[in-house]
Every structure is written in structure tokens, then in C-alpha cells.
Amino acid sequence: MRFRDRVHAGHELAERLRIRQEAGALTHPVVLALPRGGVTVAREVARALEAPLDVLVARKIGAPFQEELGVGALAGDDPPLFDERTLDHLGLSEADLDEVVERERAELRRREERYRQGRPAPELRDRTVIVVDDGVATGATARAALRWLRRQSPERVVLAAPVCSPEAADLLRGEADEVIFLHRPAVFLAVGEWYDAFEQLTDDDVLAALHGQ
């Protein structure tokens, strides 16, 4: 299964979720996108479910010597959630990541302020909260986001994405009440390989999606 772009992926994911909604599994839903890439997908989901759309900003914590190598993640004001096995393998301590954590937390807050533009965070208590991304590779940021979300007392938590690695799918099943992935390829290198068009999105793209453009 491949997707033309994030809009196409959003349509396909929305159809799966609409079936779950019709079955009574997604009552009183609110859709939270993991920006940036998840916002375009989540917009199509929110439209199909006639649900409000907002963001849940989470940030990957990269290794000091290789930013793309994730060793943990941040969400909200929660403490960082580290992958202890990866830290041990790399010979890193949590203290070694203090500077990276501080930088990523500052970026997290900047994005929250930019995307919300003074709007209050949505009320999630007793809601069915659907967290949407454009794909899940390691699952680190999604796991941090879901753990933060649990502390907001939602009635039900659903994680949904068009594509997910098998390892992340196994990891995240215990973090949400339901996980919905359209495609779990046995060989998974990167989210972008499952899209024909997978351009990097900007803050302006996120704002346009949140305002229904």
C-alpha cells in the first residue's frame, strides 16, 4: 500500500475511522495531530468525523552526535521519556542529554504558541481523543504524546496513522485503547518511502490546515 500524498493518506485513514465511528467506538471525538506532518492527515480525519481538530506537539530527542538518531521524546510539560536500551547501547546518560532536552523543550513551546495563537488547549477530559500522525517509525514521539494525553483524563485514546513499523506497532499497543494503522510493512526504513510525495511542511502549512484551508 502506497499513498500519493498526505491528503490521500488522510482520506484512506478517515474512511477506516468513520467505520469505527459508525460502530459506536468513537463517541464525542476530538482529533489531535502530531505536527508537522500529521496535521494534513488529521485534517481529513477531522472533516470526515465532524470532529474538532487541534495539535499535540511532541519532540524527538536526538543523540548529541546524530540528531536523527532518536533516544527519547518530549510532550507537554512532562519529563523526557528516554529509550533506556538505546542510551545504554550508545553509552549515554540522561544527564548527557540535558542540553538537547532544553533545546527541544524550547522548540516545543515555540510551536505550541505559534500553532495555538492564543487559543486555549482543547478540553480532553471524558472525550475520545484520536491522535493522528502521517506515519510512525520508532514510536518514541507517539509514546511520549500518549503518556501525556493519559494524564488529561480522556475517556478513550486512539492512535491512528497510515503506516507504522512493526516494532512501533507492538510498542504502542499498550499505550492506547486502540491503534489503527492501515499498513504495517515487514520491512520499514522510513515513513516517506510509503508516499509518492512527502514534502517537508512548514509552520504556515500547519496553520493553514488548522484553519481548514
Side-chain angles (χ1 to χ4, degrees):
M1 177 182 290
R2 290 183 60 82
F3 306 101
R4 293 190 299 274
D5 52 24
R6 290 184 180 91
V7 172
H8 174 219
H11 287 160
E12 296 293 320
L13 188 61
E15 180 59 24
R16 178 74 64 84
L17 287 161
R18 190 181 60 78
I19 292 170
R20 297 294 294 137
Q21 185 183 47
E22 291 177 350
L26 304 177
T27 58
H28 202 37
V30 58
V31 177
L32 296 184
L34 295 178
R36 296 184 178 112
V39 177
T40 304
V41 180
R43 177 186 60 194
E44 304 307 318
V45 170
R47 285 174 174 171
L49 302 184
E50 298 183 348
L53 171 65
D54 213 306
V55 292
L56 199 175
V57 182
R59 295 291 297 167
K60 178 176 69 177
I61 301 169
F65 49 83
Q66 187 178 347
E67 291 185 2
E68 289 305 309
L69 178 58
V71 297
L74 288 169
D77 292 324
D78 284 359
L81 181 63
F82 289 109
D83 183 332
E84 298 296 342
R85 288 190 302 175
T86 301
L87 290 184
D88 289 344
H89 178 72
L90 297 174
L92 293 171
S93 69
E94 293 185 9
D96 293 328
L97 280 300
D98 284 349
E99 184 176 335
V100 179
V101 169
E102 184 177 351
R103 183 173 67 246
E104 293 301 339
R105 198 177 292 282
E107 175 62 13
L108 184 154
R109 289 170 176 157
R110 184 199 70 80
R111 291 192 184 199
E112 285 185 334
E113 291 175 3
R114 179 78 192 279
Y115 300 156
R116 291 236 160 81
Q117 297 186 322
R119 291 182 295 107
E123 176 57 55
L124 304 177
R125 182 179 294 273
D126 299 328
R127 301 289 297 266
T128 296
V129 182
I130 305 167
V131 178
V132 177
D133 205 353
D134 56 7
V136 182
T138 67
T141 53
R143 187 162 67 129
L146 291 170
R147 291 198 177 183
W148 174 87
L149 179 57
R150 283 292 191 193
R151 283 185 272 281
Q152 314 312 308
S153 302
E155 178 179 332
R156 196 156 184 269
V157 174
V158 178
L159 175 66
V163 61
C164 180
S165 71
E167 297 80 10
D170 291 339
L171 175 71
L172 294 167
R173 282 194 185 95
E175 303 288 348
D177 296 303
E178 184 175 3
V179 293
I180 297 175
F181 305 123
L182 301 182
H183 188 33
R184 282 172 284 190
V187 179
F188 189 104
L189 299 176
V191 171
E193 68 178 322
W194 304 101
Y195 287 80
D196 294 332
F198 195 71
E199 71 282 358
Q200 294 298 310
L201 301 183
T202 66
D203 285 347
D204 287 340
D205 292 326
V206 171
L207 290 170
L210 290 174
H211 291 111
Q213 300 177 20

